[in-house]
Amino acid sequence: DSGVTQTPKHLITATGQRVTLRCSPRSGDLSVYWYQQSLDQGLQFLIQYYNGEERAKGNILERFSAQQFPDLHSELNLSSLELGDSALYFCASSATGYNQPQHFGDGTRLSIL
Amino acid sequence: AQKITQTQPGMFVQEKEAVTLDCTYDTSDPSYGLFWYKQPSSGEMIFLIYQGSYDQQNATEGRYSLNFQKARKSANLVISASQLGDSAMYFCAMREGRNTGNQFYFGTGTSLTVIP
């Protein structure tokens, strides 16, 4: 158990819809990261938050947005969903410092029909 | 330039043999950390091993060891005595010290198949 909790585990929805993915980081971790992994693909970095503030942005579409709340949990909002958004979405958290690993949640598997 | 390069899309190894998965990195930061993750077919990402840029010795964790060659900027993962359960995708990652965001950079991964 990594200590990172992601909900829901599975999500099935239709094109054009909006969904929210939720992540609770490990206790004490201030950084939260979101990744997208399409079928048989690598990890695509989306966005990072540190203690409530956006720290780094990757290839995140304008239709996607995220935030980190005062209790450090984070949400990833995906809107106007397209078939190509079907993927495994990971949340990870880490402590501060370059020697600290990321710990991943189990992911949310999003299927767009 | 790519921060992390994994040049082996797929690797095969006989059960009980050792295998080396390659990883090279690019950074000008003297302080950095290198990480390896395993992703089995079930999908979860599992942290395996860490090597710091100032570490004098290669990191080891059970059957996993890291062949760290700083001058060549390589951090290869060595899995000894391969088991069927080692079949998975393996990702190399780096985190820089001076990067205020402490962003992680991942390679594209290597798919390892252990043959009985």
Side-chain angles (χ1 to χ4, degrees):
Chain A
D1 182 12
S2 68
V4 179
T5 303
Q6 281 189 254
T7 56
K9 292 192 183 303
H10 302 277
L11 201 49
I12 302 173
T13 188
T15 55
Q17 296 298 305
R18 173 189 170 93
V19 297
T20 297
L21 312 183
R22 183 188 168 98
C23 170
S24 293
R26 285 194 334 156
S27 177
D29 287 355
L30 299 180
S31 287
V32 169
Y33 308 75
W34 287 97
Y35 294 89
Q36 178 194 57
Q37 187 179 38
S38 301
L39 194 62
D40 294 331
Q41 297 291 312
L43 288 168
Q44 296 296 319
F45 169 66
L46 295 179
I47 198 163
Q48 178 202 352
Y49 282 85
Y50 175 81
N51 202 20
E53 294 187 1
E54 182 184 306
R55 272 296 176 93
K57 224 170 187 178
N59 298 322
I60 187 167
L61 300 172
E62 286 191 9
R63 300 184 285 109
F64 296 1
S65 65
Q67 54 183 327
Q68 186 181 27
F69 295 87
D71 66 352
L72 300 179
H73 91 271
S74 178
E75 293 181 355
L76 178 67
N77 300 296
L78 315 176
S79 62
S80 303
L81 287 167
E82 302 175 358
L83 293 176
D85 297 328
S86 294
L88 185 56
Y89 290 84
F90 282 110
C91 170
S93 74
S94 74
T96 304
Y98 69 85
N99 60 342
Q100 298 299 314
Q102 278 184 335
H103 297 275
F104 284 78
D106 289 339
T108 293
R109 192 168 295 279
L110 177 64
S111 300
I112 312 299
L113 303 179
Chain B
Q2 292 288 329
K3 288 281 190 181
I4 295 287
T5 302
Q6 294 181 256
T7 58
Q8 306 155 312
M11 290 280 287
F12 292 87
V13 64
Q14 206 73 39
E15 194 178 5
K16 299 180 186 177
E17 296 293 312
V19 63
T20 298
L21 307 184
D22 294 342
C23 172
T24 57
Y25 59 92
D26 181 32
T27 183
S28 57
D29 193 333
S31 304
Y32 53 89
L34 298 159
F35 306 85
W36 278 89
Y37 289 83
K38 173 185 178 181
Q39 186 179 34
S41 59
S42 50
E44 69 271 27
M45 290 284 288
I46 303 165
F47 165 60
L48 293 178
I49 193 168
Y50 160 80
Q51 180 83 46
S53 58
Y54 298 111
D55 293 344
Q56 295 297 309
Q57 295 193 334
N58 288 336
T60 61
E61 288 288 348
R63 294 186 299 110
Y64 303 109
S65 61
L66 213 151
N67 184 0
F68 181 46
Q69 298 186 46
K70 195 170 181 177
R72 296 181 59 186
K73 293 189 175 178
S74 73
N76 298 338
L77 177 70
V78 181
I79 305 174
S80 62
S82 296
Q83 302 172 356
L84 295 179
D86 294 333
S87 293
M89 196 75 171
Y90 290 82
F91 292 96
C92 178
M94 178 177 67
R95 191 177 192 186
E96 295 170 318
R98 72 178 174 205
N99 182 328
T100 56
N102 279 159
Q103 183 182 342
F104 279 77
Y105 301 96
F106 279 85
T108 52
T110 295
S111 177
L112 177 67
T113 302
V114 180
I115 304 168

